[in-house]
Amino acid sequence: MAKSSAAAQEKSQYHHFIPRFILRNYSHPGEPTTDSRNSKNRVKQRGNRKNGPRAREPVLYGINLSGEEPTITETTVAKTFGMMDMYCGLDMSAKRHQVEEQLSVLESRAGEIISTIRKAFEAGKDDVWMTRTQRDTLRKFLFIMKYRGSRFHRRYFHENAEDYNEDDRERMLKYMKEKGIEKPIDVWLDNIKAILDLKMDYQMGWMDKLRKRIYPDDAEWCINNIQGFYMAIVTPNNKEEEFLLTQNAYSIFEGASTLKPSPVTGKLEVSAYTEFHLFAPIAPRLLIVLRSFILPVPEQDCANTLETRELFLKAVTAPHVNPEEAGMFLRDLPITKALNSYSKLVAGKLVPINGGPTGMHDRFCFRFFPISEVHVQKINKVMLDESHAIDLIVFSNKAATVKTLGKYLAGQSVLPSEISRVRAIMKLQQAGKLLAATLPASQTPDLPQDILREENIPKDKVHALFLENEKAKNLYSKLSGKQLDEKDFDQARGLLYMRIKTDTITRGLSESKREESRKEFLREFVYGDKFPAQVIWIYVKRIRFMKHGGTMINAQNMLEDSVLSGKYLYGTEDIIAASRDSIRKEDFSRLMFHAAANGSLIAKPLWGLVSELTLDDNGMRRLHEEKELVLGDQGSICDCGILRLEEAAKAARRKIIKNNLQAVPRSPLDNIFTEDEKIELITREFVQGYKAEGIGEKLVESAELERALFDVVYPLFGSRQKGVENEREEVEDSEGDSGCLVQ
């Protein structure tokens, strides 16, 4: 019995990241099924209900953006905006269940408060009063909504600490070591639990308690979210307007962010990040706004404080690319701080009464601020601008949504550079047409003429080459487990665009800083698991096309392909890709990248030591090139990702060091290598073609893979001087022969 009970407790659960009580405010009753009163039919309906709603079950209108084409959907409240086992902490099941229970309590309390707000609004009241406890509960709920969103789930959900790869990596790993925590997700769960446990006192002692209790960076973020913003409630003054509810609505902000290269490392970093407004849609015509205290607060600012606030605003916006525009988008939103029971308005200013705040008995008055259509559409624009990263937009009123989409699309005078954002705009354009077709002609607002057609987007000619090549399609399917997916090609284009922009942004820095920035890009986006293997495979091919003049950034700041020669579709990376099952997952993309990169260098007619070394400037240049090829960023053969080869290489390395073989003179060029480099080169020589002891089999079973490893990725210094013509022909075949694409 105990075992059965435990199994039931561990059963997978669907967790909403936007609670049902909010979704129900956007819902309408589902259509009743035919003959629903007949008991036999009811039994049959229950049996067939896997994918459909019960009769009259609350459902939501939505724009589904997950496919190649958008669709207008109706989904149940029970299965919208959630994911399976969001808080699954693997071996932390006890804490997970505790967190789930505490979240349920917080949601229940927040649900009651939001229900009170909605009922007051629907009753025609101008405002709603809350106790300090209710206000603090709502603020805590709004922060948790942001903190438990899918973005933070992706950030923290790792099997081990080494997989954590955010910009606070060093601080996070130090914190985990100090606390004895092994997995980043356990930090996340512990932080959530601590915030849920937190008692917020009006003397603000809770802030120091939080700083001591949870990961410091997240503690400061939580404190700033609650103390650095004030809360207001807005509603459209036009009854035909409404707020959209997007999948990431509680996680996005209106503000500014700026990317610049670090003057120390050359790495591309977020140099300035300023949130001015956060949003929380709670009903189609009700939205909670959190406004930063950086912006003016009329009822609180006297001449001196207003001047100070303006100076602070200038200071925080100065690092942005266009500081004069930062903070202006919604600055005129007509909202103010809540009134309260311990102060009153005198000549437009809040003046303390009754001795000031007293604690839990304090009360706060939140007015329902009517806002213009312009402000409603600006808020919806912020939501729609971020729709490229989501699958679903929920709405209540079809006509209002068609109007919103029309206003948004009409304002797209400048298209974004990222293909994903361009495609999102196209989907919204198509969704507007689909919705308009469901409305009577009298309710259909005018939609703008097509602002964007498929023909306006530069064609992905790499994708076109794949469509024409069966071997390429087969290897793609082997890597991805699916048929050609245009999204993978879009991601590869986006990755190349980012790589080009990294060079553009770092222009003016020293070459060493720029090179470090390029290496950081590889570590961040190529070597790890941020992108699927097939995306990196396509990306390295795109680099080769670009180096042969096949790709450029056009006048519209978009990546555009010219005529691409089919021979550049092929490369040594195809051999690595075909051998994926033999290579450790975490090393696969790195190996594939360097197979392509070194293959391109080797294919150059006069790169490195392909002929006798001359003692002149040209000879020194070729010497440097050869060393770059052989001992570049590909790393050691001891870390090649092929287990049996690694073990043999490590054993050989130990033997070399033990016998001090690196000290034995081998070449007149010995002085150009460090001791570690000599050991690496001797190790490669030892294991190339080596057969495992007692087995008689080669360490690398595939002759093609062995050639790719030792002739391209981990070559020996000067090896191409021996039999130059034959060996160069073999390598060049891997650059321009369709036979390299292994089926």
Side-chain angles (χ1 to χ4, degrees):
M1 291 295 289
K3 184 177 180 180
S4 176
S5 175
Q9 189 181 26
E10 292 300 320
K11 186 179 178 182
S12 291
Q13 297 180 47
Y14 186 84
H15 296 112
H16 286 82
F17 45 80
I18 297 182
R20 295 188 191 205
F21 65 80
I22 289 174
L23 297 179
R24 280 193 286 267
N25 292 339
Y26 278 81
S27 71
H28 60 276
E31 290 295 326
T33 54
T34 308
D35 297 327
S36 60
R37 293 186 180 184
N38 183 293
S39 61
K40 290 183 179 179
N41 282 330
R42 285 203 301 271
V43 172
K44 186 177 179 180
Q45 288 157 13
R46 283 196 294 270
N48 293 333
R49 202 191 145 260
K50 283 187 178 180
N51 300 314
R54 295 189 185 95
R56 311 303 290 176
E57 183 177 5
V59 293
L60 299 154
Y61 289 132
I63 300 173
N64 189 321
L65 301 170
S66 61
E68 291 296 319
E69 304 288 336
T71 57
I72 308 304
T73 61
E74 279 191 316
T75 57
T76 64
V77 166
K79 292 296 181 182
T80 301
F81 289 154
M83 61 188 297
M84 297 302 297
D85 297 325
M86 183 186 295
Y87 310 107
C88 180
L90 303 174
D91 58 346
M92 294 286 288
S93 58
K95 179 170 283 189
R96 169 170 46 110
H97 290 304
Q98 192 175 7
V99 167
E100 289 170 1
E101 289 172 3
Q102 289 179 282
L103 279 168
S104 178
V105 172
L106 177 65
E107 285 187 6
S108 177
R109 291 172 180 166
E112 291 174 3
I113 298 166
I114 288 174
S115 177
T116 299
I117 294 171
R118 183 175 55 82
K119 288 176 181 177
F121 174 74
E122 291 172 352
K125 294 183 178 180
D126 295 328
D127 53 46
V128 62
W129 283 84
M130 298 182 205
T131 64
R132 180 179 290 276
T133 300
Q134 289 173 322
R135 186 204 64 172
D136 291 348
T137 297
L138 191 54
R139 293 304 301 268
K140 184 187 290 189
F141 168 76
L142 293 176
F143 176 76
I144 288 291
M145 286 288 286
K146 191 177 182 80
Y147 191 61
R148 71 170 180 179
S150 56
R151 172 174 165 248
F152 281 89
H153 186 268
R154 288 193 302 271
R155 173 185 176 180
Y156 280 109
F157 196 74
H158 299 292
E159 290 284 343
N160 56 67
E162 292 306 313
D163 291 338
Y164 187 85
N165 199 30
E166 301 296 326
D167 55 8
D168 63 340
R169 174 182 167 83
E170 289 186 13
R171 296 191 299 276
M172 174 62 75
L173 296 186
K174 180 182 177 183
Y175 176 81
M176 292 175 67
K177 185 177 180 180
E178 289 173 351
K179 298 293 183 179
I181 299 175
E182 296 182 357
K183 300 172 185 173
I185 195 170
D186 295 343
V187 176
W188 187 54
L189 285 170
D190 186 60
N191 289 350
I192 291 174
K193 185 180 185 305
I195 294 168
L196 294 172
D197 288 337
L198 189 67
K199 305 296 182 185
M200 296 172 64
D201 59 300
Y202 79 100
Q203 296 99 334
M204 307 301 172
W206 63 269
M207 293 190 291
D208 284 337
K209 291 178 182 177
L210 191 66
R211 289 185 178 105
K212 294 174 183 176
R213 171 64 181 81
I214 71 171
Y215 176 54
D217 287 34
D218 288 0
E220 293 302 331
W221 185 46
C222 177
I223 291 166
N224 179 63
N225 181 275
I226 295 173
Q227 291 300 115
F229 294 76
Y230 67 85
M231 184 169 70
I233 305 172
V234 297
T235 180
N237 59 17
N238 182 344
K239 292 184 178 180
E240 295 180 358
E241 302 283 333
E242 70 171 33
F243 300 109
L244 298 174
L245 179 62
T246 61
Q247 187 171 337
N248 55 356
Y250 283 74
S251 301
I252 60 180
F253 69 94
E254 182 278 313
S257 60
T258 299
L259 290 172
K260 288 184 180 179
S262 165
V264 178
T265 65
K267 177 183 175 182
L268 198 62
E269 297 176 345
V270 176
S271 62
Y273 170 85
T274 312
E275 295 180 339
F276 293 113
H277 295 92
L278 309 174
F279 307 109
I282 57 174
R285 290 182 42 77
L286 284 174
L287 179 131
I288 294 175
V289 178
L290 301 182
R291 168 174 271 187
S292 172
F293 279 110
I294 295 172
L295 298 175
V297 185
E299 66 275 22
Q300 189 172 303
D301 293 336
C302 61
N304 290 337
T305 57
L306 181 59
E307 183 180 356
T308 302
R309 205 183 298 273
E310 288 290 349
L311 288 173
F312 186 58
L313 177 61
K314 286 182 180 179
V316 298
T317 57
H320 291 295
V321 175
N322 297 307
E324 67 283 353
E325 296 178 11
M328 299 305 294
F329 188 65
L330 283 170
R331 183 166 177 167
D332 60 347
L333 190 68
I335 59 176
T336 61
K337 287 180 63 179
L339 302 175
N340 55 59
S341 58
Y342 52 84
S343 62
K344 65 178 181 178
L345 277 174
V346 177
K349 304 295 180 185
L350 286 172
V351 179
I353 59 173
N354 303 326
T358 60
M360 62 183 295
H361 298 295
D362 296 330
R363 300 176 71 240
F364 299 85
C365 176
F366 291 89
R367 288 162 282 181
F368 297 116
F369 291 102
I371 61 174
S372 68
E373 178 183 332
V374 171
H375 287 120
V376 173
Q377 297 306 342
K378 279 187 173 183
I379 292 171
N380 282 332
K381 180 184 186 301
V382 175
M383 306 281 187
L384 292 173
D385 278 346
E386 297 303 316
S387 64
H388 68 99
I390 62 174
D391 294 332
L392 185 66
I393 299 171
V394 162
F395 60 91
S396 177
N397 184 289
K398 291 182 178 180
T401 303
V402 172
K403 181 179 178 181
T404 293
L405 291 175
K407 295 282 186 183
Y408 177 74
L409 294 168
Q412 296 298 318
S413 57
V414 179
L415 294 175
S417 57
E418 302 97 316
I419 292 294
S420 63
R421 291 181 183 270
V422 174
R423 292 199 184 281
I425 293 171
M426 292 180 64
K427 287 183 181 181
L428 294 176
Q429 182 174 281
Q430 190 173 347
K433 293 178 181 178
L434 293 174
L435 268 178
T438 68
L439 298 173
S442 60
Q443 296 181 28
T444 306
D446 292 332
L447 284 169
Q449 295 298 314
D450 289 354
I451 58 163
L452 189 62
R453 298 178 184 273
E454 187 69 37
E455 55 264 31
N456 299 136
I457 300 180
K459 298 295 183 185
D460 188 330
K461 294 183 180 177
V462 174
H463 181 251
L465 287 175
F466 268 73
L467 288 173
E468 298 169 359
N469 190 296
E470 287 301 318
K471 289 184 178 181
K473 286 193 284 188
N474 289 340
L475 188 46
Y476 172 90
S477 296
K478 181 176 180 179
L479 276 177
S480 65
K482 59 183 178 180
Q483 299 301 310
L484 288 186
D485 185 345
E486 202 166 2
K487 288 182 180 178
D488 288 336
F489 290 82
D490 284 349
Q491 284 192 314
R493 286 176 89 177
L495 202 53
L496 181 58
Y497 182 88
M498 289 167 61
R499 171 62 183 82
I500 294 170
K501 285 299 182 183
T502 298
D503 262 10
T504 303
I505 293 171
T506 56
R507 192 173 294 152
L509 294 178
S510 67
E511 188 54 36
S512 62
K513 296 293 185 187
R514 298 187 78 195
E515 185 59 28
E516 178 54 36
S517 191
R518 294 173 191 129
K519 291 178 180 179
E520 182 62 34
F521 178 88
L522 289 175
R523 291 190 290 268
E524 180 79 9
F525 298 107
V526 178
Y527 291 170
D529 58 358
K530 280 201 171 182
F531 291 94
Q534 68 270 16
V535 172
I536 303 302
W537 183 56
I538 299 166
Y539 167 70
V540 299
K541 295 180 181 300
R542 278 207 151 277
I543 291 178
R544 185 160 53 247
F545 281 116
M546 180 183 69
K547 288 182 175 179
H548 286 88
T551 302
M552 59 177 287
I553 293 181
N554 65 17
Q556 287 72 43
N557 202 30
M558 298 175 74
L559 214 62
E560 184 171 355
D561 296 327
S562 58
V563 177
L564 301 182
S565 172
K567 72 176 184 178
Y568 297 127
L569 183 61
Y570 318 115
T572 315
E573 72 276 3
D574 301 328
I575 298 171
I576 305 298
S579 308
R580 184 180 185 180
D581 293 342
S582 303
I583 301 167
R584 190 166 49 240
K585 179 182 176 183
E586 52 265 38
D587 296 300
F588 179 72
S589 291
R590 175 177 57 84
L591 207 61
M592 194 160 51
F593 174 83
H594 287 290
N598 276 9
S600 293
L601 294 178
I602 291 170
K604 291 183 177 182
L606 298 174
W607 184 272
L609 298 183
V610 294
S611 59
E612 185 177 350
L613 180 64
T614 54
L615 300 178
D616 55 13
D617 289 345
N618 182 54
M620 295 307 294
R621 174 186 59 79
R622 293 193 295 113
L623 191 66
H624 176 76
E625 289 172 349
E626 184 75 6
K627 191 172 181 183
E628 178 187 343
L629 172 74
V630 175
L631 296 166
D633 296 324
Q634 67 267 58
S636 170
I637 190 69
C638 296
D639 301 309
C640 65
I642 301 172
L643 183 60
R644 205 158 58 161
L645 181 56
E646 283 185 348
E647 289 174 347
K650 289 173 182 176
R653 181 182 174 86
R654 288 192 294 269
K655 184 177 180 180
I656 291 164
I657 295 171
K658 180 180 179 180
N659 294 300
N660 201 26
L661 297 182
Q662 70 274 17
V664 177
R666 298 170 63 85
S667 161
L669 298 176
D670 281 351
N671 288 338
I672 72 170
F673 303 112
T674 66
E675 184 170 333
D676 278 346
E677 288 171 344
K678 291 176 184 176
I679 294 170
E680 172 65 20
L681 292 173
I682 300 170
T683 302
R684 292 182 190 181
E685 191 173 353
F686 268 36
V687 297
Q688 185 173 356
Y690 180 81
K691 293 184 179 181
E693 291 182 16
I695 301 176
E697 296 176 356
K698 281 192 172 185
L699 293 170
V700 183
E701 295 177 9
S702 163
E704 269 196 319
L705 178 58
E706 183 178 42
R707 186 181 67 131
L709 287 172
F710 291 106
D711 289 355
V712 181
V713 185
Y714 301 105
L716 294 176
F717 193 87
S719 61
R720 290 176 299 143
Q721 291 185 50
K722 303 168 186 177
V724 172
E725 292 301 320
N726 291 336
E727 294 204 12
R728 284 192 61 74
E729 285 174 8
E730 288 182 3
V731 173
E732 285 175 353
D733 282 346
S734 72
E735 280 282 320
D737 188 330
S738 61
C740 194
L741 271 170
V742 183
Q743 290 195 50

